[in-house]
Amino acid sequence: MHVKTLQKWQHNHNFAIIDNKGEQRTIKVLTLTVITMAIEIIAGLIYGSMALLADGWHMGTHASAFIITIFAYRYAKKHQNNPEFTFGIGKVSVLGGFSSAVALAMVALVMSVESMERIINPQDIYFNQAIGVAVFGLIINGISAFILQDNHHHHTDKHKYDDKSDEHKYHKQTNGDKNDKRDQTTDIHHHYEHHHHHDHNLKAAYFHVLADALTSVLAIVALFAGKIFGLHWLDPVMGIVGALVIIRWSYILLKETSPILLDKNIEKENNLIIREKIESDSDNRICDLHLWKVGPDDYAAIISLVTHFPKPTEHYKNLLQDIKHLSHLTIEINQCMDKPCIAIEN
C-alpha cells in the first residue's frame, strides 16, 4: 500500500478567495448604507422626491447585496477545505457577484416603474429638504466607495497559510511532482502575483456603491433643475436614466460571472496553447480537452491524448508547467496500436 506517500499524488482543491479585509470593509459599508437608506426613504416620502425615494430604495437593495457579499466570504472561509465540494468552493465569490448582479437588475426595474408612475402622476416636491438629504447620501456613498476602492484595486490573497509547513501544500498540481522545489516556489509566486481584480464578490459590492453614488448625483441634478428652472419632470426622468446605467453595470457583472458558473471555456487561446505544447511533442494528438475555471483565477483541465509512444504522465504535465493558473490537471494517455493513428478533433 502507498499510505505514506499517497499525499504526494493528491490534488489541492482550495481555490477560494479568503479576503478578510474585504469582508470587514463591506460590513462598514453595509452599516453606512442601512442608515442612509432609512433617512432617504423617509425623506423621499415626506418631501415628495421620486429621485430621492428611488435612491433610498436603491440603497436598500444594495444593503441586501452587501449581506450576500459578507455571507459569501464567510461561507468560503468555513468550507474552504470541505471535501464534499468536488473542486472546492472557489466559485462562491463568483456566485456572490452573480447574485448581486441580479439584485442590481431588480433595482433598475423598480426604479424604472416608479419613475414612470411619477411621470404620469406628478407630485409636489420640497426641493430644499430633498436636496439636503440627497447631498448627505452622496457624501455617504463617497465614503463607502473610498472604503471599498482601496481593497478593490489591490490584489487579494487567495489562501491564508497558517505556517510555513502549509505553504508547500499549494502548488501547481501535477499529481505528485513535488521533487523540484524551484517549480513549487515559482507556482506560489505566480499565484500571488497574478491575483488582481478577480474577486467578483468584492467587485459587485463596489459596483453597488457606485450605483448608489450615481443615483445620488442624478437626484441632486434633478432637484436643482426643478427648483431653479421649474423642470419638475426631470426628477422622475433622472430615475429612468439611473436605471439604464445600473442595468449596464448589472450586465457587465453577469457577463463576467455566469460563464464561470456554467463552466464555459472562457479563454479559447489557452486551448490552442495546450494543444500546441502537447502536440508539438512526439506524435501526440489531443482527442479530448476540457478546460474550465474552478475559481475566480484558477483553471482545471482534463486532457485525453493519443500517441504511439506513451510516456509517464509527469512528462506531459511538465510540458504545461508554464501555463499560469492551471491549478488542477488530469491527463489520460491512450496508446495507439494502429498506423497511422489520427485523432479527430471535436
Side-chain angles (χ1 to χ4, degrees), residues 58 74 80 103 110 116 120 131-132 143 187 202 221 232 326:
H58 184 202
R74 295 188 175 180
Q80 59 181 315
V110 171
M116 291 298 296
I120 298 173
I131 289 172
I143 295 173
D187 290 333
L202 186 62
V221 171
H232 292 204
L326 187 54

Side-chain angles (χ1 to χ4, degrees), residues 40-60:
E40 288 194 336
I41 290 177
I42 294 172
L45 292 172
I46 294 175
Y47 303 134
S49 170
M50 179 55 223
L52 189 58
L53 186 61
D55 190 25
W57 284 116
H58 184 202
M59 295 191 78

Side-chain angles (χ1 to χ4, degrees), residues 87 263-266 270-271 274-275 286-294 299-304 320 326 328-332 346:
F87 283 98
D263 292 333
K264 182 179 179 182
N265 192 341
I266 302 172
N270 284 343
N271 283 44
I274 290 175
R275 286 186 179 277
I286 292 180
C287 57
D288 198 12
L289 171 60
H290 299 279
L291 179 67
W292 72 99
K293 276 193 169 184
V294 289
Y299 285 88
I302 298 177
I303 303 171
S304 180
L320 305 176
L326 187 54
H328 195 292
L329 179 59
T330 303
I331 294 182
E332 177 188 46
N346 294 326

Side-chain angles (χ1 to χ4, degrees), residues 29-43 52 55-57 59-60 133-141 144 212 216:
V29 171
L30 172 63
T31 304
L32 292 174
T33 299
V34 170
I35 294 173
T36 308
M37 171 201 71
I39 293 174
E40 288 194 336
I41 290 177
I42 294 172
L52 189 58
D55 190 25
W57 284 116
M59 295 191 78
V133 177
V135 171
F136 169 76
L138 180 60
I139 293 174
I140 295 299
N141 290 328
S144 299
D212 279 335
S216 294

